């Protein structure tokens, strides 16, 4: 299972989730490991960072071309089919696929060589305030495609003269040795979108688009998350060749002066930053736990999630679509200084991540914000160039959502003019003993100076305090649950009551493991970032009720 709904009726898709053979490349020991999963969940490998080989025997029941889709391999995967290398991918948090042509019916060997180690080549995965796990950490699917298939379908809802329109773009890929001519059709809630004939040369891709009015559809909103299936079918001479079902919603997103608008109405964002992390499962969060995370956040009164600091598992995004939870999704980049951003692989790895995030997650109505470069070097010209590069890239892929970057470089950031929303990370009473009000007043004044009269929404994208679960101390010593609850109380009271702010996202939903490096663990008891409102097992800290009280009142 990789999505929460059926994605094909014509294309045969077989889940490869289950038990795979695994060899630890360092010890040469053999294991059976679950996919999806992190190898850290095995008692032998709780601290293993390095290489390993996953193997699976595939049974293919007819001669075909295959498309193998990996939703997440952490962090580098080299894919071998019957001993021949067919794919390579870097970055744990974005999906990728490989195609193998002319596969004969029978048994075949699939191997994925996984590397989770840090090196000069790996710019995005490095020592950080969260952990890089190892393994095939999200689902895998084997799909039968016959030479020509639909690579993606993008649906862009638009409201024109009070009627809902949709622009549907379909990318068809031809991996065969012959040119293809056929027809393409989509349908949504009984309305057909006709693309007419399509020709795709051998070895090529083609994107075709069509606009259509959809009457009688209901808009997607936070309190009424109406979703529709968009079924696209590709026909050849002998009938349906391939298909793809996407699930979409009709909604608009915009920013007007200092307000964020969903369907033309102002919204207030109250939510959490969430790392995909759990003591048992690592970053390979199973569906049941995703649902529990969602239930806990909703129970506290949240209406939004920031996928800090990387694109999330698509099943979680599906869940947000279904529950009407607003999503700020962001590229994989946390707290890089300029020296790091100037490394040779930085541009490519960031750009690949942004492209894979947007192309794959384009249709989620819940995503209303694309974020980039959390707390990176936005305070110097060379850093600014990277921000400009990525914002330009986003605009070239999707103009229908808002953009932002969370900054901690208050008073020195020179990039506030670039995004649609100004987002501030700040930890008054935790990293600095200042009241949240005093702190925000100063930061707000600076933001206004920087923006030179341009009005933009302002989000408090991170705030919070640390507490070790179970550490109760009425003297409110640092790291006690009382101290955390008290600080959160003051922060929430300030931010939720200030109408200059369009929303507040707590750092963070759950505690998370961090890299075992002195640069981190010396300030991160238990080698964890302990600012979770629930701990790594989702046990509630005292601050849970504090958050609930404030979110309920807003
Ligand atoms: C930053 C950063 C987070 C986390 C947080 C903290 O704001 O964006 O990833 O490290 O600080 O806990 O200090």
């Amino acid at each position: 299972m990789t999505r929460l709904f059926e994605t094909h009726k014509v294309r045969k898709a077989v889940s490869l989730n289950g038990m795979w053979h695994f060899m630890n490349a360092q010890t040469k020991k053999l294991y059976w490991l679950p996919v999806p999963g992190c190898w850290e969940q095995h008692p032998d490998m709780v601290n293993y960072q390095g290489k390993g080989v996953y193997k699976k025997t595939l049974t293919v029941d007819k001669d075909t071309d295959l498309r193998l889709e990996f939703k997440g391999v952490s962090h580098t995967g080299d894919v071998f089919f019957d001993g021949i290398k067919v794919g390579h991918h870097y970055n744990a948090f974005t999906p990728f696929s490989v195609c193998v042509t002319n596969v004969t019916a029978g048994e075949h060997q699939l191997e994925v060589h996984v590397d989770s180690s840090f090196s000069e080549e790996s710019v995005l995965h490095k020592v950080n305030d969260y952990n890089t796990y190892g393994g095939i950490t999200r689902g895998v699917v084997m799909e039968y495609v016959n030479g020509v298939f639909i690579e993606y379908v993008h649906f862009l809802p638009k409201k024109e003269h009070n009627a809902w329109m949709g622009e549907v773009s379909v990318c068809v890929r031809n991996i065969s040795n012959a040119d293809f001519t056929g027809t393409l059709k989509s349908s949504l809630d009984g309305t057909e979108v006709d693309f007419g004939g399509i020709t795709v040369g051998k070895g090529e891709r083609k994107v075709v688009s069509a606009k259509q009015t959809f009457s009688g559809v209901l808009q997607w909103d936070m309190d009424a998350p109406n979703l529709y299936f968009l079924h696209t079918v590709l026909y050849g001479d002998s009938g349906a060749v391939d298909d793809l079902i996407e699930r979409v919603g009709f909604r608009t997103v915009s920013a007007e002066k200092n307000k964020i608008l969903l369907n033309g109405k102002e919204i207030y964002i109250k939510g959490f930053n969430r790392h995909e992390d759990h003591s048992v499962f690592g970053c390979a969060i199973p569906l049941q736990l995703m649902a529990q995370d969602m239930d806990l956040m909703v129970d506290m009164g949240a209406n939004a999630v920031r996928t800090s600091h990387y694109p999330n598992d698509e099943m979680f995004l599906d869940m947000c679509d279904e529950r009407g939870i607003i999503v700020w999704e962001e590229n994989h980049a946390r707290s890089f200084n300029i020296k790091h951003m100037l490394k040779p692989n930085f541009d490519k790895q960031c750009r690949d991540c942004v492209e894979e995030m947007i192309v794959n997650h384009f249709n989620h109505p819940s995503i209303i914000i694309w974020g980039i470069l959390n707390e990176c070097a936005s305070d110097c010209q060379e850093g600014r160039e990277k921000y400009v590069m990525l914002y330009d890239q986003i605009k070239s892929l999707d103009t229908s959502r808002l953009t932002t970057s969370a900054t901690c470089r208050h008073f020195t950031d020179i990039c506030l003019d670039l995004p649609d929303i100004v987002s501030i990370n700040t930890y008054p009473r935790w990293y600095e003993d200042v009241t949240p009000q005093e702190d925000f007043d100063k930061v707000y004044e600076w933001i206004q100076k920087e923006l030179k009269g341009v009005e933009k929404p302002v989000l408090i994208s991170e705030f919070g305090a640390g507490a070790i679960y179970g550490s109760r101390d009425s003297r409110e010593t640092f790291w006690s649950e009382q101290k955390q609850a008290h600080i959160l109380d003051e922060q929430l009271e300030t931010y939720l009551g200030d109408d200059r702010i369009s929303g507040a996202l707590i750092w963070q939903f759950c505690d998370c493991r961090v890299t075992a490096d002195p640069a981190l663990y010396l300030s991160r008891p238990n080698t964890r970032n302990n600012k979770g409102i629930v701990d790594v097992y989702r046990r509630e800290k005292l601050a849970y009720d504090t958050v609930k009280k404030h979110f309920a009142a807003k």
Side-chain angles (χ1 to χ4, degrees), residues 128-130 275 306 308-309 334-335 374-375 406 408 425-427 430-431 462 507-508 524 529 531:
N128 222 323
D129 203 6
Y130 54 92
H275 266 302
R306 174 178 173 218
S308 48
H309 299 297
R334 179 196 168 274
S335 301
N374 172 75
E375 294 192 349
C408 63
N425 293 350
T426 184
Y427 290 83
W430 183 252
Y431 289 127
E462 288 183 26
W507 186 271
Q508 59 177 338
R524 299 283 182 259
N529 184 312
K531 297 191 188 74

Side-chain angles (χ1 to χ4, degrees), residues 299-349:
D299 182 55
M300 280 185 272
N303 64 14
V305 173
R306 174 178 173 218
T307 70
S308 48
H309 299 297
Y310 37 76
N312 269 201
D313 190 310
E314 222 177 338
M315 287 197 290
F316 185 74
L317 301 173
D318 282 341
M319 221 177 259
C320 292
D321 291 342
E322 290 172 357
R323 304 281 295 258
I325 297 295
I326 291 299
V327 178
W328 156 348
E329 184 161 63
E330 68 188 19
N331 79 326
H332 183 202
R334 179 196 168 274
S335 301
F336 298 149
N337 60 27
I338 191 59
K339 194 166 156 239
H340 196 77
M341 291 169 87
L342 293 173
K343 287 191 175 184
N345 284 348
F346 179 84
D347 288 8
K348 175 166 166 38
Q349 292 180 357

Side-chain angles (χ1 to χ4, degrees), residues 429 433-443 494:
R429 293 286 194 221
D433 192 16
V434 55
T435 71
Q437 193 64 61
E438 247 178 85
D439 174 63
F440 181 67
D441 286 346
K442 271 198 211 144
V443 172
T494 306

